[in-house]
Amino acid sequence: QFAKPEDAIKYRQSAMALQGAHFGRIAAMANGRAPYDKAAVIANAELVATISQLPWSGAYAPGTEGGKAKPEIWKDTAKFKETSDKLVAETAKLLTVAKTGDLDALKAAVSSTGETCKSCHDAFRSK
Ligand code: ASC
């Protein structure tokens, strides 16, 4: 899928940066740092739900070690798969909640999605 390990690293870092940018726009609205705009929340949640699926099939393949990725990714593959599956599930839920327009539910979904980002970073991303 990737010609060189650096291509996989660049791909996954790009996907993470995009997720962070679009999730951050939702979080800003959920936390009152930006005016709540239901359509904008949905548009960003669509992106996050899609982008969150991208890094797990190939971009962390064996032989692509490097960047900030900890070696644990390739050692504890079951846990890595579990946390990445959890992210995909959380972002799907975030999109469903975004479409309801329920701001309290959005706050809760943003919080649990953010916790999923963080727990994976704590376990698998070096500082
Ligand atoms: C973000 C981002 C993360 C997560 C994390 C949530 O916007 O870039 O890595 O949220 O900070 O705790």
Side-chain angles (χ1 to χ4, degrees), residues 16 19-21 23-24 27 113-115 117-118 121 125:
M16 294 297 168
Q19 286 187 84
F23 180 67
T113 304
E115 279 306 308
C117 302
K118 186 177 184 304
H121 291 161
R125 181 180 69 174

Side-chain angles (χ1 to χ4, degrees), residues 68-80:
K68 288 189 184 176
K70 283 189 187 171
E72 281 73 12
I73 290 171
W74 294 274
K75 285 180 196 143
D76 199 348
T77 51
K79 187 180 172 199
F80 187 63

Side-chain angles (χ1 to χ4, degrees), residues 30-51:
N31 299 331
R33 280 180 282 113
Y36 173 67
D37 174 340
K38 183 182 172 184
V41 171
I42 294 170
N44 282 290
E46 299 266 16
L47 291 169
V48 172
T50 299
I51 299 164

Side-chain angles (χ1 to χ4, degrees), residues 5 12 25-27 40-41 48-49 82-83 91 93 98 109 112-113 116:
R12 69 201 187 209
R25 290 177 198 173
I26 300 169
V41 171
V48 172
E82 187 187 309
T83 50
T91 59
K93 204 167 76 188
S112 64
T113 304
T116 308

Side-chain angles (χ1 to χ4, degrees), residues 2 4-9 12 58-67 69 73-74:
F2 297 98
K4 304 188 297 286
E6 306 85 77
D7 294 344
I9 294 169
R12 69 201 187 209
Y60 289 95
T64 66
E65 293 85 347
I73 290 171
W74 294 274

